[in-house]
């Protein structure tokens, strides 16, 4: 009886949930075609639901809104009130953030930070006045849902708008690998994506190209290689399909393209086959029109671009992924196809050499790969991007990860933090002025100037964008200056701001209403970061000081410094983060917080907020592998957290000898080169045959406890010393995953107990390789390597 009573609340929930679904379904059919309008209230219903897609020839699950990917475009006019019902029909929590929209804090849609999370089977109503115009978008802010398809456009018209024909085009990237698995592979430091992209920089190829020295230099500073992106995407989408056909356009038609980069982790080069593209708005704000041949759109940015068809043909608008590994297209008009030119693929080895040359140049100049920290030095050399620009244009490619030197910045930065982080000033200090000047004239704030095609093309740079109104901040306000270092560790795929991973962030960045806020972004990493501040527009300082463009998302170049400024007119907390989804979820986020105003949601959902934070950098991952060989099996499993790892490895041969080692390791320093561990060993050895070939009955059993320390040397050589409970000291040297060729990896281990291991792997698939090895205890063998 008691059990039945306990069942009642459960049954009640099931009925409620089912009822909710039914209710939504009927709503859905009514609402899917158009919003309902009552006076200036515009009502939309968004049904978030599982779906099945087929972008690559394989059926995969995804998430759609009203059955669509991208989600339906929401249209409003300035002065409207948006009323948006989000019906969560998933069995998991959902959130919707209105990207680039100025709205009350609790409508911003970041779950647990600003807005109540939308639990499974629940509906949340967003209501906010439309006080701006332009092209924007919306997306989930819950874990990896955005990569699953949860994004859509949002267009706000002026009350009196000169409308011409228009197309909304949302760009995105798609992977058949589950996004969670993508993140796990990045955390595992798997090189499967590099293999897929053809971006492995192996010793074999470097030797063949005469660039062994460059390859060694990279390894010497513990940098895995030069690359632009972390993830391989098999498909890029132009508003939901790889190729889109828009035949209803004719000669001389001008079309306003509202282009939104809704990708999880891709910048795109845009090209139009029918002539120049006229850019008229950036991030929703009108700018002085600029005609260009190419433009790079960073993740989460939007541009309004006008194209004109020169003839009655089909003209391609192409969006090429920045790593040139694929593109999506839209064809305008009918008739003969006119394609946009192909962009030559990247030469990683060439880049490697050029980056090394740049680094030595910087070293010679005594520059600590840090921008903006030595402003007083009038002989300050140009920032690296500038150097890049002056030389070969194809070299503007970043190195993946974090340089040794870049990490020095953290130390230095600590001093700087004490000095003037969050500093209040009434007027600009000398240093501030110098830095600003630098941002204006030296750091060009472009995307990578890797010209897609010939060098005469006009390529958009931030410095070319001028707002059509003056954007300078009021001069009678106090200034607050904030320095944010974008930092990271590629080896363990940890990303941070001021050395803090969001999951471990205790102190928010405090500002005060009524101030002018200036934020310096110092990118100490070798990757670009599209930084996005919620709920505000900021001016990105360019050489057109007065009319610097207003944006909600902007690209910070590798090893460069950029400045943004905004008026603090809001209240409560606003998310500030890198919009590369995997960087954000690995910790590159912080909170801009208005002093003395607190979000009710964070208090109300304190535990949820903790979990939300944890999911931005402190997730736990598991990986394992097993080499099944002719002489035995070698297995290894790791559970990895932010600062610790639990690992167990074991070997067993067909005769019954086995050995198992289990350790728990804690990383000590910021760079995570140092670690300390405790270990338990367990061995059972059946002695080998004696000289006459008789099997000896001599068996040996040994249990050991040990403590040790390990350090990662240049060249990715790991050294490790441990002492066990019998007093025996063991020193071990190892180098793993050494890239011999694109697909061949070498592992080598040696220790003072005279044990050694040499293994070669030929990688065939993400989780399958052919392997052969020699182990001092187990002998020669060949077989397969299975990886998870
Ligand atoms: Cu980033």
């Amino acid at each position: 009886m008691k059990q039945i009573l306990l069942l009642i609340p459960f049954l009640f929930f099931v009925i409620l949930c089912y009822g909710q679904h039914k209710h939504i379904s009927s709503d859905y059919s009514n609402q899917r075609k158009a919003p309902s309008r009552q006076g200036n209230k515009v009502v939309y219903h968004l049904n978030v639901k599982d779906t099945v897609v087929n972008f690559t020839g394989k059926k995969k699950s995804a998430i759609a809104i009203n059955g669509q990917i991208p989600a339906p475009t929401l249209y409003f006019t300035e002065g409207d009130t948006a009323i948006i019902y989000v019906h969560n029909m998933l069995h998991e929590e959902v959130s919707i953030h209105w990207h680039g929209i100025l709205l009350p804090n609790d409508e911003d849609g970041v779950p647990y930070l600003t807005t109540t999370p939308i639990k499974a089977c629940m509906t949340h109503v967003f209501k906010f006045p439309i006080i701006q115009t332009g092209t924007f978008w919306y997306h989930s802010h819950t874990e990896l849902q955005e990569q699953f398809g949860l994004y859509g456009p949002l267009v706000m018209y002026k009350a009196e708008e000169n409308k011409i024909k228009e197309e909304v085009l949302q760009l995105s990237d798609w992977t058949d690998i589950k996004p969670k698995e993508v993140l796990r592979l990045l955390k595992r430091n798997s090189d499967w994506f590099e293999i897929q992209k053809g971006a492995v920089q192996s010793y074999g190829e470097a030797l063949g190209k005469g660039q062994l020295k460059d390859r060694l230099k990279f390894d010497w500073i513990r940098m895995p290689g030069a690359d632009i992106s972390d993830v391989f995407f098999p498909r890029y989408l132009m508003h939901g399909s790889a190729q889109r056909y828009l035949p209803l356009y004719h000669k001389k038609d001008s079309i306003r393209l509202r282009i939104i980069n809704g990708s999880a982790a891709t910048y795109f080069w845009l090209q139009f086959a029918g002539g120049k593209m006229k850019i008229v708005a950036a991030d929703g704000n009108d700018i002085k029109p600029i005609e260009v041949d190419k433009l790079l759109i960073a993740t989460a940015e939007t541009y309004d671009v006008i194209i004109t068809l020169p003839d009655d043909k089909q003209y391609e608008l192409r969006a090429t992924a920045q790593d040139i590994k694929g593109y999506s297209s839209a064809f305008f008009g009918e008739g003969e196809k006119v394609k946009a030119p192909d962009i030559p693929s990247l030469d990683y080895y060439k880049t490697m050499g050029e980056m090394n040359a740049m680094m030595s140049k910087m070293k010679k100049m005594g520059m600590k790969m840090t921008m903006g920290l030595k402003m007083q030095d009038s002989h300050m050399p140009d920032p690296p991007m500038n150097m890049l620009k002056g030389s070969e244009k194809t070299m503007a490619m970043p190195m993946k990860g974090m340089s040794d030197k870049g990490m020095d910045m953290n130390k230095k930065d600590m001093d700087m933090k004490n000095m003037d982080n969050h500093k209040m000033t009434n007027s600009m200090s000398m240093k501030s002025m110098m830095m600003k000047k630098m941002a204006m004239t030296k750091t060009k704030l472009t995307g990578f100037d890797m010209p897609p095609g010939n060098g005469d093309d006009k390529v958009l740079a931030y410095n070319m964008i001028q707002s059509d109104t003056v954007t300078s901040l009021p001069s009678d306000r106090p200034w607050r200056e904030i320095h944010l270092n974008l930092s990271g560790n590629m080896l363990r795929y940890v990303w941070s701001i001021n050395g803090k991973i969001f999951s471990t962030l205790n102190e928010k960045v405090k500002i005060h209403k009524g101030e002018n806020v200036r934020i310096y972004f110092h990118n100490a990493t070798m990757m670009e970061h599209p930084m996005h501040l919620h709920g505000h527009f900021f001016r990105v300082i360019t050489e057109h000081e007065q009319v610097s463009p207003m944006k909600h998302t902007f690209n910070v170049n590798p090893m460069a410094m950029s400045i943004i400024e905004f008026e603090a007119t809001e209240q409560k907390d606003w998310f500030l983060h890198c919009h590369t989804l995997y960087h954000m979820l690995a910790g590159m986020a912080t909170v801009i917080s208005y002093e003395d105003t607190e979000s009710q949601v964070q208090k109300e959902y304190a535990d949820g907020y903790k979990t939300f934070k944890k999911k931005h950098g402190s997730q736990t991952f598991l990986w394992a592998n097993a080499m099944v060989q002719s002489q035995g099996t070698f297995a290894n499993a790791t559970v990895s957290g932010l600062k610790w790892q639990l690992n167990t490895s074991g070997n067993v041969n067909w005769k019954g000898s086995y050995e198992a080692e289990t350790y728990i390791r804690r990383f000590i320093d910021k760079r995570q080169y140092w670690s300390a561990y405790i270990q338990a060993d367990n061995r059972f050895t059946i002695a080998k045959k004696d000289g006459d070939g008789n099997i000896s009955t001599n068996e040996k059993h040994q249990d050991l406890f040990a403590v040790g320390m390990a350090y990662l040397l240049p060249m990715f050589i790991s050294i490790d010393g441990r002492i066990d409970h019998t007093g025996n000291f063991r020193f071990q040297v190892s180098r793993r995953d050494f890239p011999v060729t694109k697909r061949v990896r070498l592992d080598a281990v040696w220790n003072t107990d005279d044990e050694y291991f040499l293994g070669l792997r030929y990688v065939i698939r993400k989780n399958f390789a052919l392997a052969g090895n020699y182990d001092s205890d187990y002998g020669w063998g060949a077989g397969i390597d299975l990886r998870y």
Side-chain angles (χ1 to χ4, degrees):
M1 189 59 203
K2 215 175 177 184
Q3 280 93 331
I4 293 169
L5 277 176
L6 278 171
L7 267 177
I8 289 172
F10 174 70
L11 284 173
F12 183 71
F13 177 74
V14 169
I15 290 162
L16 198 81
C17 194
Y18 181 65
Q20 188 89 7
H21 273 100
K22 259 183 104 175
H23 167 72
I24 291 163
S25 308
S26 60
D27 251 355
Y28 170 39
S29 48
N30 292 337
Q31 300 291 344
R32 81 185 288 184
K33 281 189 189 105
S36 64
R37 178 177 268 281
Q38 300 140 11
N40 65 348
K41 282 185 191 144
V42 181
V43 184
Y44 279 97
H45 286 264
L46 303 179
N47 303 293
V48 184
K49 208 178 165 190
D50 283 326
T51 189
V52 175
V53 293
N54 187 342
F55 291 126
T56 60
K58 285 180 216 146
K59 282 186 179 172
K60 294 284 165 185
S61 59
I63 309 174
I65 291 182
N66 297 1
Q68 302 171 25
I69 296 176
T73 306
L74 309 184
Y75 291 97
F76 301 98
T77 304
E78 198 176 8
D80 284 347
T81 297
I83 298 172
I84 306 165
Y85 289 80
V86 179
H87 307 288
N88 180 6
M89 296 159 81
L90 298 177
H91 295 290
E92 64 186 62
E93 220 174 275
V94 137
S95 63
I96 299 286
H97 160 62
W98 314 99
H99 186 106
I101 314 297
L102 302 169
L103 36 59
N105 184 270
D106 52 354
E107 304 292 337
D108 191 49
V110 181
Y112 305 103
L113 180 73
T114 65
T115 311
T116 313
I118 314 171
K119 302 279 185 190
C121 299
M122 297 302 280
T123 292
H124 185 95
V125 190
F126 289 91
K127 187 177 172 187
F128 50 89
I130 303 296
I131 55 170
Q132 65 196 112
T133 62
T135 306
F136 304 95
W137 64 299
Y138 59 101
H139 62 83
S140 167
H141 233 298
T142 300
E143 295 183 56
L144 291 141
Q145 286 171 351
E146 189 193 304
Q147 178 83 81
F148 262 112
L150 261 195
Y151 48 82
L154 203 150
V155 174
M156 296 167 170
Y157 292 112
K158 292 171 187 138
E160 276 165 37
E161 175 136 345
N162 249 343
K163 278 185 196 167
I164 62 166
K165 288 176 183 170
E166 66 171 53
E167 290 288 341
V168 177
L169 295 173
Q170 186 152 32
L171 312 173
S172 59
D173 44 26
W174 174 263
T175 163
D176 275 349
I177 300 176
K178 284 225 160 68
K180 231 182 194 156
E181 173 70 356
V182 171
L183 187 59
R184 194 185 68 85
L185 287 170
L186 293 169
K187 282 281 181 185
R188 192 195 204 289
N189 201 10
S190 157
D191 53 10
W192 179 242
F193 293 132
E194 275 83 32
I195 292 175
Q196 282 185 304
K197 289 196 297 178
V200 176
Q201 289 137 50
S202 75
Y203 274 82
E205 279 170 285
L207 192 65
K209 286 172 185 279
Q211 285 186 278
L212 189 62
K213 210 175 146 195
D214 289 320
R215 188 68 196 82
L216 284 165
K217 265 188 180 171
F218 261 65
D219 265 14
W220 183 255
I221 54 172
R222 285 163 282 206
M223 198 129 45
D227 205 355
I228 265 181
S229 61
D230 302 333
V231 184
F232 170 78
F233 291 103
R235 189 64 75 226
Y236 296 100
L237 304 174
M238 173 83 69
H239 217 76
S241 56
Q243 296 206 315
R244 226 176 129 71
Y245 292 91
L246 302 155
L248 299 174
Y249 292 104
H250 304 284
K251 189 176 172 176
K252 289 192 173 158
D253 274 352
S254 283
I255 312 146
R256 183 189 189 109
L257 308 179
R258 296 178 178 273
I259 298 166
I260 304 155
N261 186 349
S263 72
T266 310
Y267 286 24
F268 292 99
W269 281 109
L270 291 174
Q271 296 164 285
F272 177 55
K276 294 220 187 292
M277 297 175 283
K278 188 162 130 192
I279 308 170
V280 294
D283 284 1
N285 291 305
D286 289 347
I287 60 167
K288 287 192 185 129
I290 318 166
E291 292 203 333
V292 297
D293 296 290
K294 281 146 202 149
L295 75 102
L296 183 70
I297 179 166
T299 304
E301 286 184 324
T302 78
Y303 283 107
D304 287 25
V305 169
I306 295 175
I307 54 167
T308 303
L309 304 195
D311 209 339
D312 274 321
K313 292 180 182 171
Q314 275 190 77
Y315 293 95
E316 184 184 21
L317 177 92
R318 190 186 284 194
T320 307
Q322 195 189 9
D323 61 10
I324 328 288
K325 295 302 165 197
Y327 61 83
S328 63
S329 318
F331 289 92
F332 295 83
E334 250 182 320
E336 188 196 327
K337 254 187 189 172
V338 186
K339 295 197 119 199
D342 287 338
I343 301 176
S345 56
L346 308 174
D347 183 343
Y348 291 96
Y349 293 91
K350 194 176 165 203
T351 306
M352 197 177 245
E354 285 159 346
M355 291 307 278
N356 277 327
M358 185 194 91
M359 281 189 286
S360 357
K361 195 173 165 188
M362 282 167 73
K363 210 173 177 181
K364 255 187 214 157
M365 289 169 155
M367 203 173 144
K368 284 266 187 195
M369 284 221 187
T370 57
M371 293 310 104
L373 297 182
K374 297 173 82 181
M375 284 315 114
Q376 300 89 334
D377 181 1
S378 56
H379 300 292
M380 177 79 181
D382 287 355
M385 291 318 296
N386 221 23
M387 288 184 192
L388 290 175
K389 227 175 269 179
S391 49
E392 281 288 317
K393 290 196 174 162
T394 45
M395 77 185 260
M397 189 161 66
M399 277 169 287
K400 224 173 174 179
M402 183 72 228
S403 80
D404 210 1
K405 304 229 168 60
M407 275 299 190
D408 281 351
M409 189 166 169
N410 285 331
K411 276 183 246 148
K412 259 196 123 165
D413 207 59
M414 286 304 125
D415 306 338
M416 193 172 71
K417 196 171 172 184
N418 294 336
M419 208 164 74
D420 64 358
N421 222 5
H422 301 205
K423 186 177 128 189
M424 291 283 299
T425 50
N426 284 317
S427 62
M428 250 195 199
S429 67
M430 191 62 191
K431 188 179 162 201
S432 304
M433 261 159 75
M434 299 277 291
M435 285 178 84
K436 192 161 168 182
K437 195 148 190 231
M438 165 128 179
M440 283 160 63
T441 58
K442 300 262 179 96
T443 312
K444 294 286 187 199
L445 296 172
T446 62
F448 286 109
D449 281 352
M450 211 167 355
N454 76 69
D456 298 333
D457 287 341
K458 196 172 172 192
V459 182
L460 180 75
Y462 283 169
N463 257 346
M464 291 156 61
I465 306 177
Q466 298 180 49
S467 168
D468 71 347
T469 53
V470 171
T471 59
S472 306
L473 303 192
S475 56
D476 56 343
R477 306 276 172 82
W479 280 90
R480 184 184 296 265
E481 300 203 320
I482 296 162
H483 290 268
L484 298 180
N485 279 317
L486 309 180
S487 36
N489 175 352
M490 197 69 203
L491 294 176
R492 301 206 65 235
Y493 209 76
V494 169
W495 296 98
S496 50
I497 294 179
N498 281 350
K500 273 278 178 196
I501 294 128
F502 182 61
S503 58
T504 63
L505 185 82
N506 296 319
E507 251 180 88
K508 296 168 183 171
V509 179
K510 296 274 186 212
I511 61 171
H512 207 277
K513 196 170 178 167
E515 292 168 353
N516 288 338
V517 179
R518 180 181 297 122
I519 305 181
Y520 300 81
F521 288 88
H522 306 273
N523 187 353
T525 77
M526 284 297 188
M527 291 200 87
E528 296 170 309
H529 300 288
M531 299 306 295
H532 170 49
L533 172 61
H534 287 220
H536 295 74
F537 274 85
F538 48 79
R539 55 202 296 266
V540 179
I541 303 300
T542 68
E543 63 187 20
H544 304 287
E545 213 280 335
Q546 304 262 307
V547 288
S548 290
M550 298 297 288
K551 296 184 93 317
H552 51 58
T553 309
F554 82 114
N555 173 49
V556 190
N557 277 326
M559 298 311 233
M561 187 267 292
S562 295
I563 297 175
I564 65 167
E565 291 178 352
F566 63 90
E567 256 186 280
T569 53
E570 298 295 325
Q571 51 168 349
K572 299 181 189 171
D573 290 346
W574 300 91
F575 215 22
L576 168 64
H577 62 93
C578 173
H579 221 287
T580 296
L581 187 59
Y582 301 98
H583 290 185
M584 178 182 81
L585 288 166
M588 194 178 266
T590 189
V591 173
I592 297 287
S593 180
Y594 282 82
E595 269 167 323
D596 309 322
T597 58
E598 246 181 304
S599 158
Q600 216 31 58
V601 177
Q602 277 168 60
K603 264 194 216 157
E604 215 174 295
Y605 291 88
D607 288 341
Y609 181 55
K610 246 187 231 163
T611 312
F612 175 78
K613 272 174 67 174
K614 225 180 139 189
K615 283 178 176 164
H616 292 76
S618 283
Q619 308 94 321
T620 301
F621 297 88
L622 166 76
W623 54 80
N625 80 300
M627 279 188 280
V628 184
Q629 304 279 109
S630 53
Q631 87 278 40
T633 292
F634 302 74
N636 198 316
T638 303
V639 180
S640 183
L642 182 58
K643 287 181 179 154
W644 57 270
Q645 273 180 347
L646 174 69
N647 175 286
T648 178
S649 59
N651 314 333
V652 57
N653 72 8
W654 308 123
K655 291 175 200 149
S657 294
Y658 68 83
E659 123 182 48
E661 293 184 1
T662 301
Y663 67 75
I664 183 151
R665 168 195 304 280
R666 174 77 157 77
F667 293 96
I668 300 168
D669 61 328
K670 250 192 176 160
R671 295 183 295 186
Q672 303 201 325
Y673 291 166
W674 279 106
S675 62
Y677 63 88
I678 50 172
Q679 188 168 30
D681 271 20
N682 186 259
R683 277 167 199 243
F684 180 76
T685 317
I686 298 173
K688 289 164 195 156
K689 290 173 186 175
D690 62 23
D692 303 325
N694 302 316
I695 292 170
S696 156
T697 50
N698 184 16
E699 295 179 357
K700 209 170 113 195
H701 192 233
Q702 192 184 17
D703 287 320
L704 279 182
F705 290 95
V707 292
M709 281 193 86
Y711 181 71
L712 185 71
L713 283 172
M715 308 302 297
F716 300 113
I717 293 167
S718 180
I719 51 167
D720 175 330
R722 72 166 207 193
I723 185 152
D724 66 38
H725 74 280
T726 66
N728 179 41
F729 178 77
R730 185 186 85 177
F731 176 75
Q732 184 164 294
V733 186
S734 60
R735 169 71 160 100
R736 292 184 189 275
D737 302 320
F738 179 86
V740 182
T741 70
K742 183 184 171 190
R743 285 177 182 268
V744 176
R745 300 290 174 271
L746 178 77
D747 294 322
V749 185
W750 170 85
N751 69 33
T752 50
D753 288 354
D754 268 338
E755 295 168 314
Y756 53 95
F757 175 93
L758 209 60
L760 274 178
R761 264 178 296 134
Y762 182 83
V763 183
I764 291 173
R765 310 248 348 123
K766 181 181 81 178
N767 43 22
F768 182 76
L770 297 177
N773 59 29
Y774 181 78
D775 183 286
S776 51
D777 293 339
Y778 293 76
W780 292 99
I784 55 168
D785 178 27
L786 303 169
R787 312 210 129 205
Y788 169 70

